[in-house]
Amino acid sequence: MQVLITGGAGFIGSHLAEAYLARGDEVWILDDLSTGGIRNVEHLRDRPKFHYLVETVMNVPVLAESIDRVDAVIHLAAAVGVRLIVESPVNTIETNIKGTENVLMLASKKKKKVFIASTSEVYGKSARLPFKEDDDLVLGPTTKGRWSYACSKALDEFLAVAYWKERKLPVVIARLFNTVGPRQTGRYGMVIPTFVRQALSGSPITVFGDGTQSRSFTYVSDVVSAILGLVDSDQAVGQVFNIGNGKEITILDLANLVKGVTGSSSQIVTIPYDQAYEEGFEDMPRRVPDISKIRKAIGYEPTLGIRAILEKVVEYERK
Ligand code: UDP
């Protein structure tokens, strides 16, 4: 198979590229290096079946040529990371909506299969847990920048479903929950690389809010096998799936676990959300996926728990 991975030099994209190459597939990546980096795919550059292009999904002629070449498009290119979103809402909205619009419009001309990466953020503040794909979405006001990310990704989902219903474009949509692993950067707000670096350098571990908010973390290779499975499945077409891990942990417990796994003597400090992000910032108190749909569709089961995930990230960061 020939696949195009937009955002392929990013954290998840680079692991996905490795997985496709390992299967013997030919991989093309398109990445503008806004949050990804060539260093993430440096080790793949000599492979004969690996090709990369430093370009944005906003460049329609280049994107069209790239899509024409392949059998399937895995669309990961997006503005991501809570810090980046709060700081650059215009870029977030434009990249996430226009980029996906371009991918769907061009793929539709040649009826190429498309995988759309969405996010657990679309569930917003919903208090009905665990989150199921057909649940109502509960977003905050438009004056709070954070929700623009959820809303832009929800619009991507609407558009993808519309292309399937109206034009029979084979699309599959997945909502990725907090994904972690080597090469993830903490620069745009992701908690685990941030905590691990703080612990390893002996700096204070910065828990935002009171630390009672929880998340459920999935190891990147589990997410990659879920994506491979969904793209390969004919039954998954036209549908939305959660990709995550059903086990949750509070951020304060996570900070303590990071201290334990690293053997760090770092202090754990709490920082009010207003200081960490912006005035009036809204966090979601809990975020847990129901993964029964993807389990039934492709037999997906996450393999690593939070301690094993942390051990892998710590090993990577130590190197
Ligand atoms: N967080 C934290 N300290 C940090 C970075 C993040 O306490 O240095 C918290 C953040 O407020 C959120 C959780 O960790 O409650 C997960 O944050 P992340 O940005 O990784 O992803 P999110 O789930 O918010 O998209």
Side-chain angles (χ1 to χ4, degrees):
M1 189 159 94
Q2 303 245 2
V3 289
L4 169 70
I5 306 175
T6 71
F11 152 59
I12 299 176
S14 64
H15 287 277
L16 191 63
E18 275 172 21
Y20 273 116
L21 289 170
R23 281 192 353 181
D25 296 323
E26 184 140 12
V27 175
W28 303 77
I29 70 169
L30 190 109
D31 199 303
D32 67 357
L33 307 182
S34 51
T35 55
I38 285 294
R39 68 189 174 282
N40 288 338
V41 289
E42 197 70 61
H43 59 297
L44 304 176
R45 280 168 84 169
D46 294 335
R47 304 272 196 99
K49 288 189 173 175
F50 177 76
H51 319 272
Y52 76 90
L53 208 58
V54 178
E55 191 45 88
T56 145
V57 284
M58 300 299 182
N59 186 332
V60 172
V62 170
L63 183 63
E65 221 175 275
S66 304
I67 291 179
D68 282 357
R69 239 187 243 126
V70 298
D71 306 301
V73 185
I74 318 293
H75 179 46
L76 305 181
V80 291
V82 179
R83 180 160 307 286
L84 185 73
I85 284 148
V86 168
E87 284 167 7
S88 321
V90 172
N91 179 57
T92 300
I93 298 165
E94 289 183 352
T95 308
N96 294 358
I97 294 179
K98 190 84 193 130
T100 303
E101 233 178 83
N102 289 345
V103 166
L104 290 169
M105 180 262 294
L106 295 167
S108 175
K109 287 189 180 158
K110 306 284 167 75
K111 291 280 175 285
K112 302 291 173 79
K113 190 161 204 178
V114 183
F115 172 91
I116 297 286
S118 185
T119 167
S120 57
E121 186 90 6
V122 298
Y123 291 106
K125 300 187 278 187
S126 172
R128 227 179 90 180
L129 287 132
F131 296 149
K132 279 179 87 90
E133 290 85 350
D134 289 335
D135 285 348
D136 289 341
L137 310 181
V138 186
L139 304 187
T142 52
T143 45
K144 300 201 169 167
R146 173 185 199 143
W147 302 114
S148 67
Y149 177 57
C151 198
S152 65
K153 282 297 192 172
L155 200 57
D156 287 353
E157 293 193 18
F158 276 120
L159 193 61
V161 172
Y163 265 98
W164 162 240
K165 285 192 178 154
E166 205 179 311
R167 306 201 183 157
K168 288 289 157 266
L169 176 69
V171 297
V172 54
I173 300 154
R175 294 179 180 158
L176 273 52
F177 283 66
N178 297 62
T179 303
V180 196
R183 298 183 209 135
Q184 184 175 39
T185 163
R187 246 183 304 156
Y188 309 104
M190 280 74 170
V191 67
I192 287 189
T194 304
F195 280 6
V196 168
R197 277 174 214 178
Q198 289 168 336
L200 291 177
S201 66
S203 320
I205 298 178
T206 53
V207 169
F208 299 161
D210 62 6
T212 55
Q213 75 273 29
S214 77
R215 294 293 186 271
S216 50
F217 296 95
T218 315
Y219 192 60
V220 64
S221 55
D222 284 331
V223 172
V224 163
S225 34
I227 297 175
L228 295 178
L230 289 176
V231 174
D232 287 346
S233 159
D234 288 334
Q235 282 81 42
V237 167
Q239 299 191 59
V240 180
F241 295 89
N242 288 335
I243 301 181
N245 185 330
K247 302 230 167 60
E248 68 182 315
I249 181 168
T250 69
I251 298 302
L252 192 58
D253 286 347
L254 178 71
N256 279 303
L257 193 58
V258 168
K259 268 189 78 162
V261 170
T262 52
S264 167
S265 55
S266 284
Q267 257 193 311
I268 295 174
V269 296
T270 54
I271 298 179
Y273 285 120
D274 288 2
Q275 273 175 40
Y277 296 109
E278 63 176 358
E279 190 71 30
F281 178 84
E282 290 182 321
D283 201 3
M284 43 277 285
R286 290 176 69 195
R287 189 191 272 162
V288 189
D290 181 319
I291 52 171
S292 48
K293 186 173 176 187
I294 187 168
R295 184 181 282 135
K296 200 164 158 229
I298 59 165
Y300 163 82
E301 205 61 63
T303 59
L304 291 194
I306 185 65
R307 178 177 282 275
I309 292 174
L310 288 179
E311 282 165 357
K312 289 203 177 272
V313 174
V314 168
E315 188 191 329
Y316 171 77
E317 292 293 341
R318 277 211 166 107
K319 274 197 225 145

